[in-house]
């Protein structure tokens, strides 16, 4: 019997294309099998390389789409200089019309928390599988200029939480991780408790699987330094972000961490844009040495 044909590549609909720093910002829509709805993602491709481009995934925060980072961060200049492709997915499924999905800004639409929900009502909220499994395959199937096996990941706030947890659970898949003002210990903050109780139920051991402060305590495979920038004037620092808890966990686990507390900076994209070049350079050194 002949071997079964491989599944066809996911069909991509190109929504936009704009030139920037010699490369192009591209935006696509495709049908997501993991999430059961159409999803958009943005991609910055530097000018045609001599070899395949490594991939740097950006995960955005609460209320964002795939476009916020591409429009506001100014990351393309450094990405072009280092020869690194940027990929920014959306932050949740959209258009499913689940009761209550848009009742609050910090849960449901625009607030997927990069986990796989186990509550039946929120069964389509599987952003972990989308980011880790489905999106890399969509990219490798459609962009021969990308080397999706050479990848790193970073993000902001909820997306910083996503980047840290995804990296710590998949150190074999990502070369490095960094974050801006991440929700570093969601089990112990209101945003995390609201999301986890609804998406995952009441079993706290399941919550720990998506909490960077807990994951890093049992992770002995981190050899590259984790970079975090945190604004000292961030109004969410004390109650929601809890960078100090993650710092202590890294110390006790012997995991290398560079936590830079930045005086005067808040939680905004102005803060991100100020330090984005440092983060791309951080990842480039590991992506280019792979």
């Amino acid at each position: 019997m002949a071997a079964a044909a491989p599944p066809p590549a996911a069909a991509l609909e190109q929504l936009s294309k704009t030139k920037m720093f010699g490369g192009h910002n591209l935006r696509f829509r495709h049908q997501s099998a993991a999430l059961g709805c159409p999803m958009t993602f943005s991609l910055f491709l530097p000018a045609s390389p001599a070899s395949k481009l490594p991939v740097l995934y950006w995960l955005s925060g609460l209320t964002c789409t795939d476009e916020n980072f591409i429009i506001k961060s100014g990351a393309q200049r450094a990405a072009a200089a280092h020869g690194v492709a940027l990929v920014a997915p959306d932050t949740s499924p959209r258009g499913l019309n689940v009761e209550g999905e848009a009742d609050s800004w910090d849960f449901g639409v625009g607030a997927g928390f990069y986990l796989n929900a186990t509550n039946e009502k929120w069964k389509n909220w599987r952003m972990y599988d989308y980011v880790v499994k489905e999106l890399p395959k969509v990219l490798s199937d459609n962009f021969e200029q990308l080397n999706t096996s050479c990848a790193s990941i970073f993000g902001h706030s909820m997306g910083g939480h996503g980047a840290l947890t995804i990296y710590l659970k998949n150190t074999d898949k990502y070369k490095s991780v960094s974050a801006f003002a991440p929700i570093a210990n969601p089990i112990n903050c209101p945003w995390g408790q609201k999301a986890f109780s609804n998406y995952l139920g009441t079993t706290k051991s399941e919550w720990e699987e998506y909490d960077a402060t807990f994951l890093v305590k049992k992770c002995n495979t981190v050899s590259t330094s984790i970079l975090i920038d945190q604004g000292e004037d961030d109004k969410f620092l004390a109650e929601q972000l809890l960078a100090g808890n993650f710092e202590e966990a890294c110390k006790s686990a012997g995991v290398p961490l560079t936590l830079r507390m930045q005086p005067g900076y808040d939680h905004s994209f102005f803060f991100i844009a100020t330090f984005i070049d440092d983060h791309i350079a951080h990842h480039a050194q590991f992506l280019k040495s792979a």
Side-chain angles (χ1 to χ4, degrees):
M1 180 182 295
L12 290 184
E13 176 191 359
Q14 184 172 306
L15 302 177
S16 64
K17 179 179 181 180
T18 53
K19 190 171 184 178
M20 191 175 188
F21 297 115
H24 288 91
N25 295 314
L26 302 162
R27 192 170 189 236
F28 296 94
R29 180 188 292 123
H30 71 109
Q31 182 65 30
S32 168
L35 305 176
C37 66
M39 289 292 286
T40 58
F41 66 89
S42 291
L43 167 66
F44 174 70
L45 283 177
S48 298
S51 58
K52 286 195 171 186
L53 294 163
V55 177
L56 179 53
Y57 294 93
W58 169 269
L59 304 183
S60 284
L62 292 164
T63 75
C64 289
T65 69
D66 58 292
E67 290 190 290
N68 297 71
F69 175 74
I70 294 296
I71 294 170
K72 295 181 178 181
S73 71
Q76 293 92 333
R77 184 193 300 271
H82 287 285
V84 173
L86 300 172
V87 177
D90 202 348
T91 53
S92 77
R94 294 182 189 268
L96 292 168
N97 298 317
V98 175
E99 182 186 1
E101 68 174 21
D103 285 357
S104 56
W105 63 272
D106 57 357
F107 178 78
V109 171
F113 272 84
Y114 305 102
L115 48 70
N116 287 337
T118 53
N119 182 339
E120 178 67 19
K121 179 177 179 180
W122 304 103
K123 62 185 178 182
N124 294 82
W125 268 250
R126 301 183 63 82
M127 287 299 295
Y128 177 90
D129 275 358
Y130 179 73
V131 170
V132 176
K133 299 176 182 178
E134 184 174 13
L135 186 54
K137 187 175 189 309
V138 169
L139 294 170
S140 62
D141 285 348
N142 290 279
F143 301 96
E144 61 181 16
Q145 64 269 59
L146 297 181
N147 178 7
T148 55
S149 65
C150 185
S152 291
I153 192 165
F154 67 155
H156 171 234
S157 195
M158 177 185 73
H161 142 78
L164 290 171
T165 55
I166 285 172
Y167 172 78
L168 292 170
K169 291 160 77 78
N170 299 275
T171 54
D172 58 325
K173 285 186 169 66
Y174 302 95
K175 308 297 182 187
S176 53
V177 66
S178 71
F180 291 84
I183 303 172
N185 189 196
I187 284 177
N188 289 314
C189 80
W191 282 340
Q193 291 163 355
K194 179 178 180 177
F196 288 4
S197 61
N198 281 282
Y199 290 137
L200 301 173
T202 58
T203 306
K204 295 297 176 68
S205 60
E206 293 187 22
W207 294 20
E208 292 177 5
E209 288 302 305
Y210 297 104
D211 186 304
T213 296
F214 278 87
L215 290 172
V216 80
K217 292 175 183 176
K218 58 183 182 180
C219 192
N220 57 8
T221 56
V222 178
S223 56
T224 59
S225 181
I226 297 171
L227 172 62
I228 293 178
D229 273 311
Q230 173 63 61
E232 288 186 354
D233 284 9
D234 188 327
K235 66 182 180 181
F236 301 117
L237 175 57
E239 182 182 21
Q240 301 283 13
L241 306 178
L242 308 177
N245 294 1
F246 184 70
E247 182 180 28
E248 288 303 313
C250 286
K251 285 179 180 176
S252 65
V255 171
L257 169 69
T258 300
L259 173 59
R260 307 193 306 186
M261 300 301 296
Q262 303 291 0
Y265 286 92
D266 61 13
H267 198 68
S268 71
F269 264 96
F270 300 114
F271 159 61
I272 294 170
T274 301
F275 300 105
I276 192 68
D277 288 10
D278 291 351
H279 284 246
I280 291 175
H282 169 80
H283 293 293
Q285 65 180 317
F286 300 112
L287 292 168
K288 293 296 188 172
S289 64

